[in-house]
Amino acid sequence: MILNRIKSRNIISIVLTGILLTLTAVVIIAPDSSKLSWISNNAPQIMFIMLVVSFIFLALDQKTMMVVGMICTAIIAIYLKSASNEEGFLSNEYGENYFEIIYLVLDPDNTVADDLFEITSGLDADAIVVQNYDEEWEALFRSNLGLYYPHNYGFKTPDNTGAGIFTRNKILRINNLKINDDTNLQTVIDFEESKIQLLAAKLPEDVVAEEEKYHEYLQSLASEVLDSRNPVLLMGDFKKVYWSKELINFRKQAQLENSRPSIGIENLNPEVHFFHSRKLICTGFREIYGDENKLFGIFAAYTLK
């Protein structure tokens, strides 16, 4: 009887260890095209569950299982951190080339406009880039922020997925990037006598739905980034978490860094990102929320190395 219990415990321990190790391996190894990619996409939740399970093992005096759980938790944490901003905002002195920028993914429903403009005005950024820009949003931005951001440009599309920029600094060049039939906002801005290329990527639903199209789209973005003579700040709603294999490989190819330092409790699966050239240092980052915890966009600050 006692021997059977010991054998049963050993079998359960082996099975649970296998599950923990398999989940950890899937998070780190599984490609985005895999049916198991949802596990990697939810890595923060899985990490948290593993941590809770480890403490349960500790309470049950299952020390071996507790150690395995803690090791798996640590491996996933390290993996997520390696895909985040590793500079860690170490720069305390902004210097002459310091600038701040907001990227907004607008809602076709303009009922949030008052809340949005109050928040963005309070952040007092040097430039605001907006996605899903249409005539109504253009009128609202010009009336609310036009006085503070005299330099602006935007384009509209029939499906209301255009883009625009409002900035205090001169727009030196507008050279929108065409990928297939989609237009991506691309400008060069004069920030404190330093030229920065801003590229707002628009990823249509049909592109996101097909892995091959998504990969080709990112390849086109990477080529454009690498061809730039100026430091590049790429932004967009990429429809993928930044630790996805596709975006990790894309950043390596385009020689871009992730601006986000970590995952916030409010948004464990962020898909709206800033990626910056290695000539830039991200000195600040935050997500922008309105009432009812509605995500408007992201804010970041940069300086040149």
Side-chain angles (χ1 to χ4, degrees):
M1 182 74 69
I2 295 175
L3 184 61
N4 288 336
R5 287 182 179 178
I6 293 173
K7 287 182 178 180
S8 296
R9 285 186 179 181
N10 288 337
I11 291 173
I12 292 172
S13 296
I14 292 171
V15 170
L16 291 175
T17 299
I19 292 173
L20 290 173
L21 293 175
T22 300
L23 283 174
T24 304
V26 169
V27 166
I28 297 173
I29 297 173
D32 293 344
S33 58
S34 167
K35 293 181 180 179
L36 299 175
S37 61
W38 64 271
I39 296 177
S40 181
N41 292 340
N42 291 286
Q45 293 91 326
I46 292 172
M47 180 180 67
F48 176 75
I49 292 171
M50 284 184 175
L51 182 62
V52 172
V53 169
S54 298
F55 282 112
I56 292 175
F57 285 140
L58 179 62
L60 296 175
D61 199 29
Q62 298 292 318
K63 294 181 180 179
T64 301
M65 291 302 303
M66 183 271 293
V67 171
V68 172
M70 286 294 189
I71 290 174
C72 291
T73 301
I75 290 173
I76 295 177
I78 292 170
Y79 173 72
L80 292 175
K81 184 58 183 174
S82 68
S84 305
N85 181 1
E86 297 185 33
E87 293 170 337
F89 304 154
L90 297 177
S91 177
N92 294 319
E93 296 181 3
Y94 298 141
E96 296 180 357
N97 298 312
Y98 171 70
F99 69 94
E100 298 173 331
I101 186 167
I102 292 171
Y103 176 68
L104 301 173
V105 181
L106 301 178
D107 193 325
D109 180 5
N110 296 332
T111 57
V112 299
D114 292 339
D115 191 19
L116 172 64
F117 290 121
E118 181 180 349
I119 293 170
T120 52
S121 298
L123 289 172
D124 195 33
D126 296 291
I128 301 175
V129 178
V130 293
Q131 198 73 54
N132 300 336
Y133 192 65
D134 57 21
E135 292 183 359
E136 290 186 40
W137 276 116
E138 180 182 37
L140 286 169
F141 268 89
R142 288 184 184 279
S143 61
N144 284 274
L145 299 177
L147 182 64
Y148 307 102
Y149 296 93
H151 306 281
N152 56 77
Y153 163 79
F155 66 87
K156 277 82 71 179
T157 60
D159 59 353
N160 295 328
T161 58
I165 180 170
F166 288 76
T167 173
R168 294 193 179 103
N169 305 73
K170 290 181 180 180
I171 300 176
L172 301 178
R173 187 169 71 251
I174 298 168
N175 183 26
N176 290 332
L177 174 63
K178 274 274 191 179
I179 302 179
N180 299 331
D181 295 326
D182 301 299
T183 303
N184 299 266
L185 176 67
Q186 185 170 228
T187 62
V188 176
I189 308 295
D190 185 6
F191 285 111
E192 299 287 341
E193 299 182 358
S194 298
K195 298 176 183 178
I196 307 294
Q197 181 169 314
L198 304 181
L199 176 55
K202 168 194 170 185
L203 288 97
E205 293 297 332
D206 63 317
V207 170
V208 176
E210 296 186 32
E211 204 67 35
E212 186 175 348
K213 285 185 177 181
Y214 191 88
H215 177 74
E216 291 174 354
Y217 209 97
L218 291 185
Q219 291 291 307
S220 298
L221 287 175
S223 297
E224 189 67 22
V225 170
L226 292 172
D227 287 342
S228 176
R229 297 179 180 179
N230 302 307
V232 176
L233 180 56
L234 172 65
M235 62 207 77
D237 183 358
F238 287 85
K239 310 297 184 184
K240 287 181 182 286
V241 292
Y242 63 80
W243 58 86
S244 69
K245 308 305 178 296
E246 188 73 74
L247 288 185
I248 288 176
N249 292 333
F250 163 69
R251 292 199 304 274
K252 287 180 180 178
Q253 180 184 355
Q255 298 179 21
L256 294 172
E257 300 291 340
N258 182 16
S259 299
R260 188 185 296 266
S262 60
I263 305 163
I265 297 298
E266 302 92 345
N267 186 9
L268 292 175
N269 305 96
E271 296 182 341
V272 180
H273 308 302
F274 275 129
F275 300 140
H276 62 273
S277 293
R278 293 169 183 173
K279 296 178 182 178
L280 296 172
I281 298 175
C282 184
T283 56
F285 184 96
R286 61 172 287 188
E287 292 182 323
I288 304 171
Y289 289 94
D291 291 339
E292 300 179 358
N293 210 34
K294 178 179 177 59
L295 179 66
F296 288 145
I298 50 180
F299 164 94
Y302 298 89
T303 189
L304 285 175
K305 286 186 177 179

